[in-house]
Amino acid sequence: FAFDLAVWEMWGALLHGGQLVIVPYEVSRSPQAFYQCLQQTGATVLTQTPTAFRQLMAVDETAQASLALKWVVFGGEALELPSLRPWFERHGDRKPQLVNMYGITETTVHVTYRPLRERDALASTSMIGGPIPDLALYVLDQHRQLVPVGVPGELYVSGAGVALGYLNRPELTAERFLENPFDPHLGKMYKTGDQVRWRSDGDLDYIGRLDNQVKLRGFRIELGEIEAVLNQHPAMREAAVLLRHDPPAQARLVAYTVYRDQPLSDGELRQWLKSKLPDYMVPAAIVTLPAFPLTPNGKLDRRQLPAPSSERPSLPVAYAGPQSDQEQTIVRIWQELLQLDTVGIHDSFFDLGGDSLGLMQLHHRLQTELDTPFELMDLFRYPTVHDFAEFLSTQAPSASMPSADPQRQQGKSRLQQQRQRRQTSASR
């Protein structure tokens, strides 16, 4: 009852002659027990966060009895519409009627609503619908000018539901509750911090939080965009993406996945993502979980998502250990850069989560420790430990040769020339 959605749940039932079912906390934590509660009470209206509903869907897939639900209302977090496909396949889109609602505490919870149809599950964005009758919505650019259909902007809300401000927080109130230049009679408008765009049918697409954009290696990345692509995979039940800082590892994108049945190998999922996303948006690590942790309000608890394991990820190739001193050296360097305990000689650097920046670091480490010159592109051509070691054996002298050896001195000279050229190019 401390969750803002409870205002609508409690009074929506009691003010209209409905029976309000209070679900015990322990029951709400167990999808199986909660499903039984819905059956036993004959509940007809259910409000849930999308994360909690996906766990309920997993129980429904094997349940024998049906539910009496007429309406299922989503709120609290962004709804990934492709995740509803299995539900629509079993139940259709009429009984129960699924409704996606968007809202904010500062606007007395609900702002928009959209009754969902089965075709909506093909959408790659979260469609949140149009305004409820007592509110007005404005999509504005950074200069607070109205934007046309299809152009992303920040959502502002005005009307009867907008709060007066924050208690004892005048500075924050002045920052978020602004004068309405479009219709002053509606009172102040609330600056939501959410990015949306108008659709041609008059509804809104929710894009994500403006403060949920991260910067990694100079690229600006919308985490929600990666999550939307992950949820398009037919094997995926739900997915989340974080930018994590887990010393000594560098900052990296981590994908968290919950599969419907048989999980994909990390290599298979990464290859699928590469077909749909630029390389810098493909997560460096993938963590597969049986279910996502939830907050007491039923939202995804991102703080409880675990750090990636240092174990070798699941790959389509079997593990094979290093066979030579040179392979052992290369494997050790890979393990240190990728923060993995085990690397096989037939594993691809990119399938293990390596990226272009990591490849540059790998290039420097290998040249320094093997004392052997080679081009960065050679790592693209020979992305496994075994193939690269074979390439080195035919292209460069052994690193174990004495430094007085003329061939080795010639190799060191070439390496120094390459470094000097790179430094000159960089200064230019």
Side-chain angles (χ1 to χ4, degrees):
F1 54 81
F3 189 23
D4 56 11
L5 276 178
V7 174
W8 182 86
E9 291 182 283
M10 291 189 295
W11 301 112
L14 297 178
L15 291 175
H16 293 84
Q19 177 186 353
L20 179 64
V21 178
I22 306 296
V23 181
Y25 178 80
E26 293 77 13
V27 174
S28 71
R29 298 298 93 183
S30 166
Q32 293 81 5
F34 186 65
Y35 194 90
Q36 293 175 357
C37 175
L38 293 175
Q39 289 178 326
Q40 294 167 359
T41 60
T44 56
V45 181
L46 169 64
T47 303
Q48 273 205 309
T49 62
T51 301
F53 186 75
R54 283 192 289 265
Q55 297 187 6
L56 191 70
M57 283 174 53
V59 179
D60 180 75
E61 289 175 1
T62 57
Q64 301 299 320
S66 60
L67 299 176
L69 290 172
K70 296 179 181 179
W71 299 87
V72 177
V73 180
F74 299 115
E77 58 187 0
L79 170 64
E80 298 291 346
L81 290 166
S83 68
L84 299 176
R85 280 181 296 198
W87 178 274
F88 284 135
E89 290 170 0
R90 291 191 304 275
H91 301 286
D93 59 9
R94 299 290 179 174
K95 187 179 180 182
Q97 171 69 68
L98 306 187
V99 180
N100 191 22
M101 298 193 77
Y102 160 86
I104 320 154
T105 306
E106 290 88 343
T107 59
T108 321
V109 189
H110 288 306
V111 173
T112 69
Y113 70 100
R114 180 183 174 95
L116 299 175
R117 294 289 172 253
E118 189 167 357
R119 62 180 178 273
D120 292 339
L122 301 175
S124 59
T125 56
S126 182
M127 294 184 284
I128 58 176
I132 61 175
D134 64 346
L135 294 175
L137 308 182
Y138 310 101
V139 183
L140 310 180
D141 61 19
Q142 59 182 344
H143 305 294
R144 294 187 191 152
Q145 299 297 310
L146 295 168
V147 300
V149 171
V151 176
E154 184 174 0
L155 179 63
Y156 291 72
V157 182
S158 188
V162 176
L164 300 178
Y166 297 104
L167 183 63
N168 299 326
R169 299 288 301 278
E171 296 85 2
L172 186 59
T173 298
E175 176 186 332
R176 306 306 291 253
F177 293 85
L178 309 173
E179 297 299 329
N180 184 345
F182 307 102
D183 192 345
H185 295 93
L186 292 177
K188 292 190 176 183
M189 60 182 189
Y190 176 71
K191 175 182 168 68
T192 67
D194 288 321
Q195 190 176 44
V196 300
R197 61 173 165 240
W198 287 113
R199 297 165 49 86
S200 58
D201 60 8
D203 279 358
L204 287 170
D205 278 339
Y206 178 82
I207 300 174
R209 289 289 301 170
L210 288 168
D211 56 8
N212 200 30
Q213 186 184 77
V214 299
K215 194 170 184 179
L216 181 65
R217 302 191 304 275
F219 294 103
R220 294 192 181 278
I221 299 171
E222 293 284 354
L223 298 180
E225 187 175 347
I226 306 174
E227 292 174 351
V229 172
L230 282 166
N231 281 299
Q232 289 175 18
H233 197 288
M236 196 69 60
R237 184 180 300 283
E238 52 188 325
V241 179
L242 295 182
L243 178 65
R244 293 193 63 111
H245 302 261
D246 299 302
Q250 296 186 357
R252 55 181 171 168
L253 294 174
V254 180
Y256 294 87
T257 59
V258 177
Y259 290 97
R260 300 188 190 285
D261 297 304
Q262 186 66 28
L264 301 176
S265 72
D266 293 354
E268 290 172 326
L269 182 59
R270 194 171 276 112
Q271 285 300 120
W272 187 81
L273 287 172
K274 286 181 178 179
S275 70
K276 297 180 176 295
L277 293 170
D279 286 344
Y280 65 86
M281 293 179 69
V282 176
I286 299 170
V287 179
T288 299
L289 300 172
F292 280 163
L294 303 181
T295 67
N297 292 334
K299 296 183 181 182
L300 170 62
D301 192 346
R302 294 178 181 269
R303 292 176 299 179
Q304 296 301 317
L305 292 172
S309 170
S310 59
E311 296 180 0
R312 176 177 177 265
S314 58
L315 297 174
V317 296
Y319 170 77
Q323 303 299 313
S324 66
D325 291 343
Q326 190 174 58
E327 285 185 348
Q328 287 182 349
T329 300
I330 299 172
V331 164
R332 174 179 57 77
I333 295 172
W334 279 33
Q335 289 174 229
E336 292 172 1
L337 287 177
L338 296 170
Q339 295 295 306
L340 295 174
D341 293 335
T342 306
V343 168
I345 61 172
H346 299 301
D347 299 342
S348 165
F349 183 77
F350 302 103
D351 286 344
L352 291 174
D355 53 34
S356 56
L357 179 63
L359 205 69
M360 294 172 65
Q361 295 173 321
L362 179 63
H363 182 230
H364 173 73
R365 287 283 303 274
L366 288 172
Q367 284 198 129
T368 300
E369 297 200 29
L370 297 179
D371 202 8
T372 303
F374 62 91
E375 298 296 332
L376 180 65
M377 286 303 299
D378 293 330
L379 292 172
F380 284 100
R381 298 186 187 100
Y382 308 100
T384 70
V385 172
H386 174 74
D387 291 346
F388 184 71
E390 281 200 338
F391 159 74
L392 287 183
S393 67
T394 60
Q395 297 294 319
S398 170
S400 61
M401 296 179 68
S403 59
D405 185 273
Q407 285 185 313
R408 178 163 181 172
Q409 289 293 345
Q410 184 179 4
K412 293 177 77 171
S413 177
R414 287 199 303 270
L415 177 59
Q416 291 170 350
Q417 291 173 5
Q418 287 176 354
R419 287 175 175 167
Q420 185 174 7
R421 284 199 300 269
R422 284 199 300 271
Q423 291 171 354
T424 303
S425 177
S427 64
R428 287 175 183 170

